[in-house]
Amino acid sequence: MEEIRILAPNGVCGSGFVEASFEKGLCAQPHFIGCDAGSTDPGPSHLGSGEPAFPREAVKRDLRLMMLGARRLKVPLLIGSAGTAGADPHLAWYADIVREIAAAESLSFKLALIHAEQDKTYLKQRLHEGRIKPLHPAPHFDESVIERSAHIVGMMGAEPFMKALNAGADIVIAGRASDTAIFAALPLMRGFPEGMAWHAAKILECGAAAVVNRKTPDCMFAWLRHDHFVVEAPDEELRCTPQSVASHSLYENADPFRLIESSGTLDLTQSHYEAISDRAVKVSGSTFIPAQCYTVKLEGAELAGYQSIVIGSIRDPFIIRQIDDWTARLTDKIHARVHMVYGDRLKPTDYVLNIRIYGKNGTMGPLEPVKEILSHELCLLIEVTAPTQDVASSIAGMARHQALHLPIPEWSGLITALACPYNPAHLDRGAVYRFNINHVVEPDDPYEMFPMELIDIGAKT
Amino acid sequence: MTTLAKLARLIRSKNAGPFELTFDIMFDDAATYERVRRSGAISREAVAQRYGLPAAEVKFFWCDNALAIKASIPRPYFQGDLLDSDGHGGQQYAPLMDIEIA
């Protein structure tokens, strides 16, 4: 096989792409269509709650076009990190959409579902064997973290996708997966060199993000050969330049030259980028250093509590000039009031009170180098996180009232210090989660953490 | 003298996973990129100083192919933690903008 052609409709399924670009991509006869569908970027609540970040109808629109395109060409469709976080609830949500589209469009195909949710007993066993290791920086990890987690996923490499393709899957919907593994799997099966295959995958996994003039999320196409690959966006208005393609390896990576996968490290230090037209770029020289030990990255989320917030603003220059002292006094007052109401039933360590001050350091927190407040008004966000929603809501109500009437020495008499734009003034935010794992597992093989189901969809009975 | 924001095509920050924050400083042409490099104003130490970190905590790269400078730092709070203020890490680059370039 001299060449493998790959179509990536966009950087995340559900964000949209231009249908005409996709059709043009299909005309270039791809050997497969791949699409990433998740990330940690939308935050820990998606992994913790099992809720996807993109709306169902938006995902269905993209998925329907991809499924119809792939079945028309009779080529595989590979989707990774289903439903944002790729745990079992997300995978089931995706499988349901796939079934709905298949029924509506009378499609029949072999579907592979690859699970990435991790069994807690398995993880505890690996932990006791010393085969779970921290990355840097990593939160503290022990058996109680495994117990507390709402969901833990492993990030699969290319191998589980290869297994599904070898089993004859036409459409693969995978739980949490390395974005690049989706695109590297088939080329690696066909014997293309790892350096070029993984680098092409890295460009493709973000769709048209590597162009100079990205307008909206859209398609990218690659021609992978044995010593290089060429990338070009199907939309003729979109241009790749050597600089734009080289720049893409910077995006959301801590290190722009070394990208770590389960099976090794993609090394871009010798990569060469060359314009072969005003829209297409040829990339060569990328290498892959196989890992001494195969590792699978874990992602976990646990409940941090239930949250309520009060949003209010301050315009009085007397209060603004003493804002740090004012918030310190407010904090003491709120804790005192909570103790008055709950007594020993609720200790100060049972809940978290956080006051964010926009106009001071609300955006950057401890990283903010500007210490002087220059604004004539400040926005306060008073945030309470507690073991139950009821408690969070109650404390937020008390916080509102304490903040409203906190006295300052410059005025005598009852003041009202906080302007509240909403009524009721406090908002219940529900359950909030935190990421709690940045570790890797050393499994016996690349498959044991990722069980696969093969399902005949639309088969005549 | 001018500032980095006036010379760069794009200065941005973003999560690099939930535990690190990364900065990209990108230029349109090689001459400007070289001018910034030669000025000596941008370095691992300069980034560390702007964010109040020890230099050893900063990863720092010159990316010649991309005409870009990259730096990564540990997040002060992990993404989405109770005290985190920027879930996508997208608004943490402002302190780099006014770095003076000869």
Side-chain angles (χ1 to χ4, degrees):
Chain A
M1 195 171 190
E2 291 299 303
E3 173 181 279
I4 192 159
R5 292 179 298 275
I6 310 164
L7 173 59
N10 60 19
V12 49
C13 183
S15 67
F17 51 82
V18 180
E19 199 170 341
S21 309
F22 183 66
E23 281 300 326
K24 195 155 173 284
L26 292 176
C27 289
Q29 296 289 314
H31 292 89
F32 73 97
I33 299 169
C35 194
D36 177 33
S39 169
T40 52
D41 208 41
S45 67
H46 301 286
L47 180 56
S49 68
E51 294 289 330
F54 281 88
R56 194 177 194 279
E57 284 302 313
V59 169
K60 191 177 168 185
R61 181 270 180 189
D62 287 1
L63 202 49
R64 177 179 166 274
L65 292 173
M66 288 183 215
M67 286 170 61
L68 289 173
R71 296 316 300 142
R72 192 164 92 217
L73 265 52
K74 296 275 182 280
V75 295
L77 170 63
L78 308 178
I79 307 261
S81 300
T84 306
D88 275 352
H90 309 93
L91 187 65
W93 186 80
Y94 246 74
D96 186 59
I97 301 174
V98 168
R99 284 191 172 95
E100 193 173 294
I101 295 166
E105 304 292 344
S106 304
L107 299 175
S108 54
F109 52 86
K110 197 179 279 286
L111 172 68
L113 298 178
I114 311 177
H115 295 259
E117 177 105 31
Q118 296 305 306
D119 179 71
K120 291 186 174 180
T121 308
Y122 168 82
L123 290 178
K124 284 180 202 164
Q125 180 202 326
R126 288 289 181 240
L127 180 65
H128 292 148
E129 292 164 352
R131 288 164 69 177
I132 296 185
K133 309 226 161 111
L135 298 169
H136 178 76
H140 174 74
F141 187 72
D142 58 23
E143 203 172 293
S144 68
V145 174
I146 298 175
E147 281 296 337
R148 283 203 306 271
S149 294
H151 293 284
I152 303 174
V153 291
M155 187 186 284
M156 70 184 77
E159 295 81 359
F161 286 97
M162 298 185 202
K163 185 177 162 187
L165 291 167
N166 280 325
D170 301 303
I171 295 182
V172 182
I173 307 289
R176 187 65 172 131
S178 157
D179 301 352
T180 39
I182 304 162
F183 296 95
L186 193 62
L188 295 178
M189 276 169 72
R190 298 278 184 265
F192 283 81
E194 296 210 79
M196 296 322 301
W198 284 105
H199 194 179
K202 173 64 198 161
I203 303 302
L204 288 162
E205 60 99 348
C206 274
V211 302
V212 179
N213 50 338
R214 182 180 181 275
K215 298 179 290 187
T216 64
D218 205 8
C219 309
M220 189 66 111
F221 201 95
W223 293 258
L224 173 62
R225 298 168 189 132
H226 284 272
D227 60 348
H228 72 272
F229 66 88
V230 171
V231 280
E232 184 186 277
D235 179 346
E236 290 186 9
E237 287 182 12
L238 298 179
R239 290 181 295 113
C240 288
T241 65
Q243 189 193 353
S244 77
V245 175
S247 297
H248 186 64
S249 64
L250 275 70
Y251 191 62
E252 292 182 340
N253 285 321
D255 182 328
F257 298 117
R258 296 172 66 258
L259 302 155
I260 296 166
E261 300 288 345
S262 285
S263 56
T265 301
L266 172 61
D267 184 338
L268 304 182
T269 48
Q270 301 302 316
S271 299
H272 181 70
Y273 304 83
E274 180 188 343
I276 58 165
S277 77
D278 60 348
R279 301 206 310 111
V281 169
K282 176 180 170 181
V283 182
S284 57
S286 313
T287 56
F288 191 82
I289 304 152
Q292 300 276 325
C293 175
Y294 194 95
T295 56
V296 172
K297 193 172 174 224
L298 295 177
E299 291 168 356
E302 66 182 48
L303 187 72
Y306 295 82
Q307 205 166 70
S308 294
I309 60 171
V310 178
I311 302 171
S313 60
I314 294 176
R315 181 64 179 80
D316 181 340
F318 291 153
I319 304 176
I320 291 175
R321 74 184 183 198
Q322 60 182 293
I323 193 67
D324 290 335
D325 186 53
W326 189 87
T327 50
R329 283 185 281 130
L330 175 61
T331 301
D332 289 344
K333 287 268 193 190
I334 295 169
H335 286 308
R337 178 72 185 134
V338 170
H339 183 70
M340 195 187 293
V341 171
Y342 285 97
D344 293 335
R345 287 179 293 148
L346 196 70
K347 295 188 287 294
T349 48
D350 290 338
Y351 63 96
V352 177
L353 172 66
N354 182 28
I355 304 178
R356 302 175 189 270
I357 307 171
Y358 290 90
K360 177 175 180 267
N361 63 357
T363 305
M364 295 193 64
L367 294 181
E368 179 57 71
V370 177
K371 301 300 177 199
E372 186 190 358
I373 295 175
L374 302 167
S375 176
H376 65 283
E377 65 176 355
L378 298 175
C379 180
L380 259 60
L381 213 155
I382 304 169
E383 183 183 285
V384 180
T385 311
T388 68
Q389 187 66 66
D390 186 51
V391 171
S393 195
S394 301
I395 298 175
M398 296 174 208
R400 175 194 72 92
H401 194 249
Q402 293 295 326
L404 274 188
H405 302 307
L406 190 72
I408 59 168
E410 288 83 346
W411 298 121
S412 58
L414 181 65
I415 68 166
T416 301
L418 200 65
C420 296
Y422 298 121
N423 181 260
H426 76 271
L427 309 166
D428 292 339
R429 296 221 322 110
V432 292
Y433 294 86
R434 64 165 70 92
F435 285 125
N436 60 358
I437 304 174
N438 191 26
H439 294 69
V440 293
V441 182
E442 297 171 352
D444 280 339
D445 64 56
Y447 311 102
E448 69 180 22
M449 297 169 71
F450 306 104
M452 180 175 75
E453 293 173 70
L454 272 177
I455 305 156
D456 285 312
I457 299 284
K460 291 194 175 61
T461 50
Chain B
M1 279 298 222
T2 183
T3 61
L4 192 60
K6 292 205 174 100
L7 295 177
R9 167 170 71 87
L10 176 64
I11 303 177
R12 67 185 179 191
S13 61
K14 191 79 205 275
N15 294 334
F19 306 97
E20 284 179 282
L21 201 56
T22 193
F23 302 95
D24 299 336
I25 305 164
M26 310 172 103
F27 300 92
D28 263 333
D29 60 88
T32 311
Y33 172 73
E34 283 305 327
R35 174 185 170 183
V36 170
R37 178 189 285 225
R38 273 196 318 272
S39 76
I42 311 283
S43 61
R44 182 191 306 273
E45 290 71 22
V47 173
Q49 187 264 328
R50 290 273 156 164
Y51 290 93
L53 294 166
E57 293 271 17
V58 180
K59 297 176 185 169
F60 186 85
F61 309 91
W62 292 94
C63 310
D64 297 349
N65 277 327
L67 302 177
I69 303 165
K70 187 166 190 61
S72 302
I73 64 172
R75 273 176 147 276
Y77 302 108
F78 296 157
Q79 177 197 2
D81 269 12
L82 290 184
L83 298 183
D84 180 30
S85 53
D86 188 357
H88 302 95
Q91 278 296 309
Q92 303 302 310
Y93 56 85
L96 300 173
M97 291 172 64
D98 59 0
I99 291 179
E100 291 201 330
I101 307 293

